[in-house]
Amino acid sequence: MTAPSKTRNWDPVVKLTHWTIVLAILTNALFTEQGSAVHVWVGYALAAILALRLLWGLIGPAEARFSAFPPNLARALRHIGEIRRGEKRDHASHNPLGSLMVYAIWSCLGVIVASGIVMAGFPPQAESREEGHPAAYGDAEYGEEAEEGGEGHEEGGHEEEG
């Protein structure tokens, strides 16, 4: 009889970032309108959580660090052979296929976040409302501005209603 394998228990930061990223993706995919203020801010939150997870890969516990699951195609191919042969090997963190998957997901999320920032811009500063600019995309017309190129607004702020 073999000893039961140790169940991996991920640390709270890994769990928090994993499920928050899932929630952000589902929220933006299913519940927000593309280009809306909520969609943009969920994207900023996703960027922050992804940045936290990447930072945690440098300073977190051993099994959460990048060094615990380096991407390696040759190891991943060997792992496929092990699976086919029915061999089971314990890994301190992700197995070789899992590590490739993790890096692929992070890369895709990075591209999605970067393209969203290119389209929406960086978050405006809170004091910009005092200067007459819509802070934090709080205007209900934000989605229309993005589509119409901001028609109806002057350079320094909203047009005065007459």
Side-chain angles (χ1 to χ4, degrees):
M1 182 173 207
T2 61
S5 64
K6 181 183 172 192
T7 302
R8 186 176 319 140
N9 192 10
W10 296 103
D11 67 271
V13 174
V14 169
K15 289 178 185 178
L16 174 73
T17 56
H18 176 93
W19 289 109
T20 306
I21 287 171
V22 169
L23 182 64
I25 291 169
L26 289 175
T27 298
N28 266 355
L30 301 175
F31 302 113
T32 66
E33 184 177 334
Q34 183 179 356
S36 69
V38 174
H39 184 90
V40 170
W41 279 104
V42 169
Y44 293 143
L46 173 63
I49 293 298
L50 180 60
L52 172 62
R53 178 58 186 101
L54 296 177
L55 175 64
W56 200 243
L58 298 172
I59 65 172
E63 57 276 345
R65 291 188 182 203
F66 301 134
S67 59
F69 54 99
N72 186 310
L73 185 57
R75 271 192 262 174
L77 293 173
R78 281 195 301 272
H79 186 68
I80 291 172
E82 292 169 358
I83 293 171
R84 285 184 178 157
R85 292 187 298 275
E87 298 172 9
K88 182 169 181 348
R89 185 181 297 185
D90 287 330
H91 300 274
S93 187
H94 290 288
N95 66 45
L97 282 175
S99 72
L100 289 181
M101 177 266 319
V102 168
Y103 286 97
I105 288 173
W106 287 338
S107 298
C108 288
L109 287 174
V111 168
I112 291 167
V113 164
S115 66
I117 290 172
V118 166
M119 292 190 316
F122 287 103
Q125 301 300 317
E127 65 270 3
S128 66
R129 191 168 287 287
E130 295 170 11
E131 300 168 8
H133 296 284
Y137 301 114
D139 282 357
E141 300 175 17
Y142 171 70
E144 292 175 18
E145 288 178 28
E147 292 173 14
E148 298 173 12
E151 292 176 12
H153 294 281
E154 293 178 357
E155 183 72 21
H158 296 340
E159 289 181 327
E160 296 287 324
E161 290 188 28

